[in-house]
Amino acid sequence: MATKIATKRLQKEFQAMQKSPPPFCVARFEEKNILDWHFIIRGPPDSPYAGGEYHGLIMFPSEYPFKPPDIKLFTPSGRFETNTKICMSMTSYHPSSWNAAWSVATILTGLLSFMLGDEITTGAVKTTDEEKKRFAAASHAFNIANRKFRDIFPEYAGPEMKDLPDMGLPKPTGPTTLTSPAAEEPDTDRAPADLVSPPPPPRTTDTPESLVSSAAAATTTATTTMRTGIQQQPGVVGVRQSWFARWRWVLAALAVIILGRISSS
C-alpha cells in the first residue's frame, strides 16, 4: 500500500505526464493501485523497433520516491524477456544508484535508451535486427489481444495502431502571424509629417551674423538709455540754465550790432 508521500508524488507525476509526456512514451496507473503504472513505448524511426508498440509495467515500492521501482515488459521485442524484471541502474537491482529526483518520465526515457542499446544484463536477450523488426510488426496485434492492455489503454486498442501524444516530431514554436501588404508598406495617404523623421532640435549656438546684430542692437539700446539718463539728471539741466543766464546780454548786444549794420547798408 502506498504511503501518503508516494501517493502525492505519483499523483503529481501523473499530472505532469498528462501535460508533457516524454517522446515515444505514455503511462498511467491502475485505478485500484497507484503503485502499478502501465506504459506504452513506441519504437523510434531509424531503429529496428520502428513501428513497434511495447506494453510494460513499472512497479513502484510503497517507499517511493526514496526507493527505486521494478520494470518488466509484456510485449515481445527481441530486446527483453517478457514478464521478467529488467536490470537497470534505475531499478531495484541497483538501489545505491537510485536518485529520488527521478520520475516516471525519467524512468521511461532511460528504459527507451537502454532498449536501443545492446547491453546484455538480467532480463535482456540478444537477437538480430531482422528478428526485432518481426516482433515490431506483430506487436500491436499482440497487445490488443491482452485484456489488461485494452482496459488500461482503450483509446489505443483499436484495429489500427494510434500515435502517442509525442512521437518525437518537431513542435511548432507558435502561430505564424500573417501581415497584410498595407501593414508592410508606408501609408501614403497620411500627412508628409507622419512619414518622415521628426525635425532636429533647434540650434543653441548663435551664428556670427546673429551675434553682430545682437551687439548692434545692444549698443543702440545702451546709447539711447545713456542719453535719456543724462537728460533726466537734475545737475545737467542746472548747468545749461546757468550758462544761458551768463551769456544772454552778450548775445543781445551782438544782435543789436548786427541789426544796425544791416540798417545802414
Side-chain angles (χ1 to χ4, degrees):
M1 183 176 181
T3 62
K4 291 183 179 180
I5 295 177
T7 300
K8 184 176 181 180
R9 170 69 176 266
L10 290 171
Q11 288 175 343
K12 183 177 180 180
E13 292 188 24
F14 177 74
Q15 295 175 355
M17 286 285 295
Q18 293 294 104
K19 294 180 180 179
S20 181
F24 307 108
C25 302
V26 67
R28 61 192 58 162
F29 56 84
E30 291 190 10
E31 184 177 353
K32 296 181 180 180
N33 186 4
I34 197 173
L35 296 175
D36 286 349
W37 282 61
H38 289 259
F39 64 84
I40 296 174
I41 288 181
R42 290 292 301 273
D46 302 325
S47 76
Y49 310 99
E53 179 187 66
Y54 307 98
H55 171 212
L57 178 67
I58 304 175
M59 297 165 285
F60 290 99
S62 59
E63 298 85 359
Y64 179 80
F66 306 109
K67 289 186 178 181
D70 284 309
I71 304 173
K72 59 183 178 180
L73 224 62
F74 300 125
T75 309
S77 63
R79 179 69 176 96
F80 303 116
E81 295 182 30
T82 58
N83 297 299
T84 302
K85 293 181 180 180
I86 303 170
C87 177
M88 295 174 53
S89 61
M90 291 186 287
T91 66
S92 63
Y93 280 95
H94 300 280
S96 61
S97 63
W98 170 252
N99 189 332
W102 290 342
S103 63
V104 175
T106 307
I107 294 168
L108 290 176
T109 302
L111 176 61
L112 178 57
S113 176
F114 188 67
M115 184 176 181
L116 296 176
D118 56 3
E119 298 88 347
I120 297 300
T121 184
T122 303
V125 296
K126 189 173 181 63
T127 59
T128 64
D129 286 352
E130 292 301 323
E131 290 176 301
K132 293 180 176 68
K133 291 177 181 178
R134 286 197 297 269
F135 284 124
S139 60
H140 183 65
F142 180 91
N143 289 334
I144 61 177
N146 185 329
R147 181 177 179 180
K148 179 64 74 171
F149 180 88
R150 297 195 304 269
D151 291 343
I152 301 294
F153 303 106
E155 70 274 33
Y156 297 106
E160 301 295 331
M161 194 182 304
K162 181 181 178 181
D163 286 346
L164 301 184
D166 189 343
M167 292 299 294
L169 300 175
K171 296 181 181 179
T173 57
T176 303
T177 303
L178 299 179
T179 306
S180 63
E184 298 177 352
E185 299 179 359
D187 186 0
T188 55
D189 292 335
R190 292 182 299 172
D194 297 334
L195 300 178
V196 297
S197 58
R203 295 172 56 187
T204 57
T205 303
D206 294 330
T207 61
E209 292 79 0
S210 61
L211 292 175
V212 172
S213 300
S214 300
T219 303
T220 302
T221 303
T223 304
T224 304
T225 303
M226 184 181 299
R227 290 176 178 175
T228 304
I230 293 174
Q231 292 175 358
Q232 292 177 351
Q233 292 179 6
V236 175
V237 175
V239 170
R240 289 182 176 180
Q241 291 179 351
S242 62
W243 180 87
F244 181 78
R246 181 181 300 177
W247 294 97
R248 62 181 179 177
W249 300 111
V250 176
L251 294 176
L254 290 175
V256 171
I257 293 172
I258 289 173
L259 288 175
R261 288 181 179 182
I262 295 173
S263 299
S264 61
S265 60

